[in-house]
DNA sequence: CGCCAGGCTTCTA
DNA sequence: TAGAAGCATGGC
């Protein structure tokens, strides 16, 4: 991969397996939107970014090479060889189909706190509404950064009442968000510490937060803590495992099972006909 | 309008 | 201790 200063940003070229739509619209993050001009714009933590697909690579608009190196290289997991990850997967027809379809997908390294709140909000919810709620959360309680708003820190949310938080219209999840904020703010839960725990211990620690069960905990580990062995099992993945991977377990996919999970999830969401229609939770 | 949403908590047998 | 109901809200 080559990183060069471009006249209006930073251009990365010679990178395989990096598709903006597949990466930013595959259900792992909720703060990126496709502009009418084809650019992707979003915020990670308190850093806004606009991304553009060019013939010779991906352009990160209006940032310096320093900012790219300091933050965005890691955020987009650009030092990982995804072809090598795929080569390490077990040979399975449905997994081949999934990786072939979603080859340009990368797992973002999001902020643990942002991932925690985002996936608490995601429960029993749909993606457009999740994005709307998170947008209102940031506009209402985050500090401005350029034309955007930062994700509000635990200290800010911990002070709110459920009534005050109600303006984001997150429904019954308000109490869960406040519980998470209070426990992180007080230091009762240290997310950096959780990220470093053995995975079973990390799962248990996250699930002490109200509104965090097995699925949300797994999402926080995978998308917010860089734990690529984490394997979220939502209704889609449960169906995919039952119908496409009978007899397989998350462990069947190896140490990068979480990446396999994301290929499969995105493939099934975009091609629902690959699963039979019987929905069971 | 009715069904459902990247689930979880609480209630019930 | 498993299984189902209830949960706020709004996208489709």
């Amino acid at each position: 991969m080559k990183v060069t200063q471009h006249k209006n940003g930073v251009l990365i070229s010679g990178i395989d397996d990096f598709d903006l739509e597949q990466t930013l619209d595959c259900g792992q993050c909720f703060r990126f939107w496709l502009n009418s001009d084809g650019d992707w714009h979003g915020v990670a933590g308190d850093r806004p970014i606009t991304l553009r697909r060019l013939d010779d690579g991906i352009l990160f608009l209006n940032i310096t090479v320093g900012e790219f190196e300091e933050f965005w290289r890691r955020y987009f997991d650009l030092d990982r060889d995804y072809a090598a990850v795929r080569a390490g997967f077990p040979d399975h027809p449905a997994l081949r189909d999934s990786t072939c379809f979603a080859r340009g997908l990368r797992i973002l390294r999001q902020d643990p706190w942002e991932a925690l709140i985002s996936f608490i909000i995601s429960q029993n919810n749909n993606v457009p509404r999740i994005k709307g709620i998170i947008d209102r959360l940031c506009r209402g309680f985050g500090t401005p950064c350029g034309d955007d708003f930062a994700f509000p820190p635990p200290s800010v949310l911990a002070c709110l009442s459920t009534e005050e938080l109600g303006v984001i219209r997150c429904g019954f999840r308000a109490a869960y968000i406040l519980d998470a904020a209070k426990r992180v703010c007080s230091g009762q839960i240290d997310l950096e510490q959780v990220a470093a725990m053995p995975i079973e211990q990390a799962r248990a620690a996250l699930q002490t937060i109200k509104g965090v069960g097995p699925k949300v905990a797994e999402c926080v580990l995978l998308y917010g803590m860089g734990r690529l062995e984490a394997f979220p099992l939502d209704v889609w993945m449960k169906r995919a495992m039952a119908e496409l991977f009978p007899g397989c377990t998350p462990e069947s996919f190896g140490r990068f099972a979480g990446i396999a999970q994301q290929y499969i999830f995105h493939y099934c969401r975009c091609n629902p006909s690959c699963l039979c229609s019987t929905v069971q939770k």
Side-chain angles (χ1 to χ4, degrees):
Chain A
M1 183 180 78
K2 212 170 79 182
V3 179
T4 50
Q5 187 73 55
H6 194 272
K7 59 178 186 295
N8 53 349
V10 171
L11 178 70
I12 63 168
S13 50
I15 173 99
D16 294 323
D17 309 318
F18 186 19
D19 180 271
L20 292 176
E21 181 179 2
Q22 290 181 348
T23 299
L24 298 172
D25 200 24
C26 69
Q28 65 172 326
C29 63
F30 304 101
R31 294 202 72 195
F32 280 85
W33 309 76
L34 182 61
N35 288 345
S36 53
D37 54 16
D39 290 344
W40 284 89
H41 180 81
V43 189
D46 59 354
R47 298 168 188 260
I49 189 71
T50 303
L51 300 141
R52 180 176 299 165
R53 166 85 221 244
L54 299 181
D55 288 338
D56 49 346
I58 303 282
L59 180 62
F60 290 64
L61 282 111
N62 304 319
I63 63 163
T64 64
V65 170
E67 289 165 330
F68 173 83
E69 293 298 340
E70 178 201 330
F71 183 79
W72 297 106
R73 177 188 285 270
R74 175 182 142 95
Y75 183 77
F76 282 100
D77 200 23
L78 292 169
D79 288 318
R80 192 177 311 283
D81 181 349
Y82 276 69
V85 170
R86 291 194 297 270
F89 287 154
D91 190 25
H92 188 291
L95 185 53
R96 267 202 306 278
D97 291 344
S98 301
T99 55
C100 187
F101 175 79
R103 195 179 303 118
L105 180 161
R106 311 182 77 83
I107 300 291
L108 301 174
R109 284 192 80 128
Q110 302 178 65
D111 175 72
W113 163 248
E114 183 170 337
L116 172 62
I117 298 304
S118 297
F119 284 94
I120 285 175
I121 290 170
S122 80
Q123 69 180 76
N124 193 232
N125 214 338
N126 56 62
V127 172
R129 201 168 88 91
I130 297 164
K131 292 177 79 167
I133 291 170
I134 293 175
D135 189 54
R136 291 190 288 277
L137 178 71
C138 296
R139 287 177 190 279
F141 303 105
T143 57
C145 48
D147 294 329
D148 297 285
F149 291 87
F151 197 91
S155 57
V156 168
L157 299 189
C159 302
L160 301 177
S161 65
T162 50
E163 291 73 29
E164 290 171 309
L165 190 55
V167 299
I168 69 171
R169 307 198 296 277
C170 58
F172 61 86
R173 304 164 192 85
Y176 301 159
I177 293 170
L178 294 182
D179 184 61
K182 283 172 185 156
R183 306 185 60 167
V184 172
C185 188
S186 70
Q188 193 180 348
I189 289 185
D190 181 334
L191 294 177
E192 298 302 332
Q193 213 169 302
V194 171
M197 288 175 182
I199 193 136
E200 283 301 343
Q201 198 182 332
R203 285 176 174 131
L206 288 169
Q207 289 180 45
T208 63
I209 299 167
K210 281 203 198 90
V212 178
K215 193 273 178 180
V216 170
E218 219 63 10
C219 287
V220 176
L221 284 162
L222 178 58
Y223 307 119
M225 295 181 167
R227 299 298 291 266
L228 300 180
E229 73 272 43
F231 197 94
L233 280 166
D234 72 314
V235 285
W236 288 86
M237 282 305 299
K238 285 178 183 170
R239 287 168 56 196
M241 292 298 281
E243 296 181 29
L244 304 178
F245 301 93
C248 290
T249 65
E251 292 73 34
S252 309
F253 298 100
R255 55 189 281 250
F256 299 116
I259 300 180
Q261 177 274 152
Q262 199 64 23
Y263 284 128
I264 297 163
F265 176 78
H266 193 237
Y267 175 67
C268 292
R269 290 306 305 261
C270 294
N271 305 280
S273 61
C274 73
L275 299 171
C276 77
S277 53
T278 56
V279 183
Q280 51 178 359
K281 289 202 178 183

